[in-house]
Structure formats: C-alpha cells, structure tokens
Amino acid sequence: MTNFFRVLTLIFIIWFPSAVNAQTKEAKPFVLGKIEQIQSIELGEQRTLNVYLPEGYSPDSALRYPVIYLLDGSADEDFIHVAGLVQFCSFPWVNILPKTIVVGIANHDRRRDFTFPTTVEKDKKDFPTTGASAKFIAFLEKEVQPFVDRNYKTNKDKTLIGQSLGGLLATEILFKKPHLFNQYVIVSPSLWWDNESLLTTKRQPLTSSTKVFVAVGKEGKVMESDAKSLFELLKKEDSGFLKTLYHYLPDENHATIYHQALYEAFVQLQKAH
C-alpha cells in the first residue's frame, strides 16, 4: 500500500465515526404540539388531547389566543392536517387567521360520543354503543374547556369543528348549548341520524354573537339535502346574534372535502367579522 492510500485510510477511520456521531447528535424529534391526558369523571375514562401552540406562544406572555376545538382530533385522524392549515392561515403574509391554539380531542368511540339516542332499531342493533353524546358534551363543557383555559393562554373566542358524525355532534351542541362556542364549522354533517330528528329539534336561543359555517360536497342526495336544510333553517332564524354561511364543494366527496372546506371556512368566517 502506498503512503497516499495509508494516509487516506487513516483519515477515513478517524473521520467516519465522527461523522456518524455528528449525524446522530444532530437528529432531533420534530415536535408538533403537546399531548395532554385528562381523567374524565363525565366519561369515566382517561382521554387524550393533542394541543398545537402557535409560533411565539409563551406561558409568560400577556398575549391570549383563540382556541379551535377539533373533534376527531387524534394524530391519525385530523389533528396534523388541521394544525398545519391553521399554521399556514396564520402566517403574516397569508393573514387569514390570527395565531390560534388547536385542541384535538382524540377518539375512543366516536359512534358512542357523537350520537344522541336513536329510535331506529337497525342503528341500535348495528351500533350498540351509540347514544351517549350528552355525556360527551358535558365532558367538553365541564372538563375540556376548563382544563384548556386553566393551562393555556386563551381568550373568549372558541371554535368547534366537526365532520360527518362530528358534524352531527357540532349541530347538536349548536342547538342545545350554543353558548359553549362562538363559531361552529359543520362539514358534511350526518343529520340523517335518527330519521333527521335533530332538524326538528327546538333550538336554545342565542345570547351572544355566533357564526356558523356549513359545508357539503357531492355526497349523495340525503347528506347534501340535510346540509342545505340545516343552513336554510339557521338562515331563516338569523337574528342579531347569528351569522350563517354555506358552501357547496361539487368536486369533493365525503373523503376529500374536509381540508378544502376548512380553508374556505377560515376565509369566509374572517370576512364575516
């Protein structure tokens, strides 16, 4: 072996472990948010909250932030793409949303939590755990919101986002306890539940300014008709407290509508100020 190759080999032996170690030391987890655990008395189980905090958030700052409460908020559901959309919309050069905290509520049994009792025997048989939305609403009101307000720098702006069965639950809360949120984003709501009985349920009166955005795609006659009926019902009952918006996305289906609908909701709700 020539002196040149001996020197080259020696350099490689010395450099290679250092390079590997440097790469290992430089690798860090990419942290999107925080994972919180709540032992729920209302539900009798431990529940997970995934929390996205906007850039610049500091517990020592006087700044307070609006909060988006996201149903279907598990990491493998809608939390990641919604948190990313909120971040994008709050970039100063985009300026669609103010900097906002996102609280994703991870699911245990969404059919149980997002539905009220049904009179349809087939649904009772097919989905025996359904019908506990009242407990989940109490969980949101008495445990989740107070926990978030105690532990994070929040202001009074609270938005609820739900799709499909989550949209059914968001509509139920809007009708029965509208004061819990001042904005509702309801996408492709499963208002067919219990033979569309929610659409004939008497609404509790609003006592403060509330905005509602309803969206649906090309998702079949029943879902499209029910979403439009919800909008028309709310629009007909518009008062000084209520602003209702509607968006139809004909190029999207039940699987693809959510992200695009949320972007449109953020744009239109900000314009409605």
Side-chain angles (χ1 to χ4, degrees):
M1 184 181 291
T2 66
N3 286 337
F4 171 78
F5 284 110
R6 287 194 182 98
V7 171
L8 188 63
T9 302
L10 182 61
I11 291 172
F12 179 79
I13 291 171
I14 294 172
W15 171 84
F16 182 72
S18 300
V20 171
N21 288 336
Q23 290 175 359
T24 303
K25 290 177 181 177
E26 289 173 2
K28 297 179 181 179
F30 184 87
V31 179
L32 183 64
K34 297 178 69 175
I35 301 174
E36 300 274 17
Q37 302 290 339
I38 295 183
Q39 186 60 45
S40 171
I41 296 173
E42 297 295 332
L43 299 176
E45 62 193 15
Q46 183 171 276
R47 298 300 295 258
T48 299
L49 305 179
N50 296 309
V51 183
Y52 162 78
L53 299 174
E55 182 184 3
Y57 177 92
S58 170
D60 300 322
S61 171
L63 290 175
R64 293 189 170 273
Y65 299 85
V67 183
I68 288 173
Y69 290 86
L70 176 66
L71 303 173
D72 295 316
S74 300
D76 60 353
E77 294 174 315
D78 296 308
F79 177 72
I80 293 175
H81 80 93
V82 174
L85 182 60
V86 170
Q87 181 203 38
F88 171 78
C89 288
S90 63
F91 284 144
W93 55 90
V94 178
N95 196 30
I96 292 171
L97 285 180
K99 288 185 176 181
T100 301
I101 297 168
V102 179
V103 177
I105 304 162
N107 280 325
H108 273 195
D109 183 346
R110 70 193 299 270
R111 288 194 178 98
R112 176 197 71 184
D113 293 337
F114 294 175
T115 61
F116 51 87
T118 179
T119 58
V120 178
E121 292 301 323
K122 186 177 186 305
D123 289 341
K124 291 179 185 180
K125 182 178 178 180
D126 291 346
F127 311 113
T129 65
T130 55
S133 62
K135 289 184 178 181
F136 190 81
I137 294 170
F139 166 63
L140 289 177
E141 179 179 15
K142 299 177 182 179
E143 296 176 332
V144 176
Q145 287 188 343
F147 175 87
V148 172
D149 289 339
R150 281 195 310 269
N151 290 280
Y152 295 96
K153 307 286 286 190
T154 65
N155 63 26
K156 293 183 179 180
D157 288 333
K158 295 177 172 64
T159 299
L160 180 64
I161 297 178
Q163 185 205 16
S164 194
L165 285 178
L168 175 71
L169 179 72
T171 305
E172 183 182 2
I173 295 172
L174 172 63
F175 280 23
K176 297 179 180 179
K177 293 205 168 186
H179 63 280
L180 293 185
F181 303 92
N182 61 295
Q183 289 193 145
Y184 291 81
V185 179
I186 300 170
V187 181
S188 309
S190 297
L191 296 170
W192 49 264
W193 181 256
D194 190 36
N195 290 327
E196 303 171 327
S197 66
L198 191 57
L199 288 172
T200 59
T201 298
K202 184 178 179 180
R203 286 175 44 215
Q204 290 298 309
L206 296 172
T207 57
S208 60
S209 179
T210 303
K211 291 186 287 186
V212 180
F213 180 92
V214 180
V216 70
K218 194 167 185 178
E219 304 179 61
K221 182 178 179 181
V222 172
M223 187 159 283
E224 292 174 39
S225 174
D226 285 349
K228 190 66 179 293
S229 294
L230 173 62
F231 166 70
E232 290 173 348
L233 175 66
L234 295 172
K235 195 69 177 174
K236 183 171 62 176
E237 298 182 25
D238 264 5
S239 65
F241 287 132
L242 181 62
K243 176 69 176 179
T244 310
L245 303 164
Y246 174 81
H247 196 70
Y248 176 60
L249 292 87
D251 295 327
E252 309 300 334
N253 58 40
H254 198 66
T256 64
I257 185 176
Y258 204 24
H259 199 82
Q260 183 65 31
L262 292 189
Y263 177 80
E264 192 64 32
F266 294 157
V267 171
Q268 295 302 326
L269 288 170
Q270 284 303 110
K271 286 182 179 179
H273 273 304

